[in-house]
Amino acid sequence: MLPLLRCVPRVLGTAVAGIRAAAPSLPLLQPASRPCARPFGLLSVRAGSVQLPGLLRPWGPCGCGCGCGGLHTEGDKAFVEFLNDEIKEEKKIQKYKSLPKMSGGWELEVNGTEAKLVQKVAGERVTVTFNINNSIPPAYDGEEGPSEGQKVEEQEPELTSTPNFVVEVVKDGSNKALVLDCHFPEDEIGQEEEDQSDIFSIKEVSFQSTGDSDWKDTNYTLSTDSLDWGLYDHLMDFLADRGVDNTFADELVELSTALEHQEYITFLEDLKGFVKSQ
């Protein structure tokens, strides 16, 4: 019900950074110190075949004689060829052709990049909402970059989408919703095998009206940064009793990753069609 207005964006422009990385021969177009969050497997092949004289020709009206009045440049042609190869590679490594299902009877609703999981439990309606935009952490964060001479394919990490998510619990007949803003601490991802700690945490808790579509800042919001651990543990148990536990969080990451990859491929296809269109 409530959009993720309070979610902190993770990394802006990761897809743009990946596309810019497709032209390593033009260093001024890409920041030298910022790592590529989505490595491309074909950069060393396709980028090396691009001819600079064609890319640097002045843009002008169509000269192909088709009468379309559009722009046709060597750069556009090379861009479309790169996108064709990249789409093929992304589809080849796509893990899920359709979105995976959540266990526990959760019903999934998808609207673009936003997903909503709904479940009714003994007189309560539990809704979990998340958005896959900016949900992939940096590929290299505080680590050394790729070593020289190593193949790009060998360096590519498995990209995982770990979005912030909001849990809303509404009692039947009530006009109030208990809203818990949750997130995945980056240092906890993948650590569930080492101990039994929670792989997600509650960031904020608030009561909101069920008739409001936006989170109102005039309602008291409890931050868990300085919260008593006893109260925090009870809130985590409250979520677990309603099916939002580590197993749920693992499956949410799997679902979000599949949705993010699906949307990324669709973006590449739309980008190819946009560049190629007359």
Side-chain angles (χ1 to χ4, degrees):
M1 176 185 68
L2 301 174
L4 302 182
L5 297 179
R6 303 174 74 86
C7 296
V8 179
R10 292 187 178 272
V11 179
L12 298 177
T14 53
V16 176
I19 294 298
R20 287 180 176 175
S25 55
L26 300 177
L28 293 179
L29 296 179
Q30 53 183 332
S33 61
R34 184 176 182 178
C36 175
R38 186 187 294 277
F40 291 98
L42 299 173
L43 293 183
S44 58
V45 177
R46 181 56 56 193
S49 64
V50 176
Q51 298 180 357
L52 284 179
L55 286 174
L56 298 178
R57 290 174 187 168
W59 282 52
C62 172
C64 65
C66 67
C68 67
L71 292 172
H72 299 284
T73 70
E74 292 298 322
D76 286 351
K77 182 180 179 181
F79 195 5
V80 170
E81 290 176 357
F82 170 80
L83 289 172
N84 277 330
D85 291 339
E86 187 61 29
I87 290 169
K88 290 179 182 178
E89 288 298 313
E90 290 296 330
K91 288 184 176 180
K92 186 185 300 183
I93 64 175
Q94 190 174 13
K95 186 175 180 180
Y96 294 103
K97 302 304 178 183
S98 59
L99 296 179
K101 294 184 178 181
M102 300 282 292
S103 63
W106 294 92
E107 297 181 4
L108 173 65
E109 301 174 15
V110 177
N111 180 20
T113 60
E114 183 176 274
K116 182 181 294 185
L117 295 163
V118 182
Q119 181 176 226
K120 291 186 177 181
V121 182
E124 296 180 352
R125 178 184 174 89
V126 184
T127 304
V128 179
T129 309
F130 64 90
N131 195 307
I132 54 95
N133 281 336
N134 307 313
S135 63
I136 297 182
Y140 303 101
D141 189 8
E143 299 177 3
E144 294 184 359
S147 59
E148 295 183 3
Q150 190 176 7
K151 292 183 179 180
V152 175
E153 292 82 358
E154 296 177 355
Q155 301 167 2
E156 293 184 3
E158 182 178 351
L159 300 182
T160 302
S161 172
T162 54
N164 298 333
F165 61 95
V166 174
V167 182
E168 302 172 45
V169 182
V170 181
K171 301 279 187 179
D172 288 349
S174 174
N175 61 353
K176 285 187 177 182
L178 178 62
V179 183
L180 303 99
D181 189 1
C182 305
H183 71 132
F184 292 95
E186 293 185 12
D187 57 349
E188 295 291 336
I189 301 302
Q191 303 298 321
E192 62 272 16
E193 295 181 359
E194 298 182 5
D195 52 52
Q196 298 299 318
S197 63
D198 298 308
I199 63 175
F200 71 96
S201 61
I202 302 171
K203 186 177 181 182
E204 293 178 337
V205 185
S206 177
F207 277 109
Q208 299 292 329
S209 173
T210 56
D212 295 332
S213 58
D214 296 331
W215 185 307
K216 286 189 174 181
D217 288 333
T218 53
N219 293 348
Y220 178 76
T221 299
L222 175 65
S223 173
T224 60
D225 290 340
S226 57
L227 188 65
D228 176 81
W229 279 108
L231 177 55
Y232 182 85
D233 288 342
H234 279 295
L235 287 172
M236 292 297 291
D237 291 340
F238 177 86
L239 289 179
D241 291 341
R242 285 151 182 82
V244 182
D245 52 14
N246 279 355
T247 299
F248 173 89
D250 280 333
E251 294 182 359
L252 186 145
V253 169
E254 195 81 4
L255 171 62
S256 180
T257 301
L259 178 59
E260 197 281 337
H261 197 189
Q262 175 180 287
E263 288 296 313
Y264 176 65
I265 293 174
T266 300
F267 171 80
L268 292 180
E269 291 173 336
D270 290 343
L271 182 59
K272 184 190 75 172
F274 181 84
V275 175
K276 189 177 180 180
S277 63
Q278 296 181 353

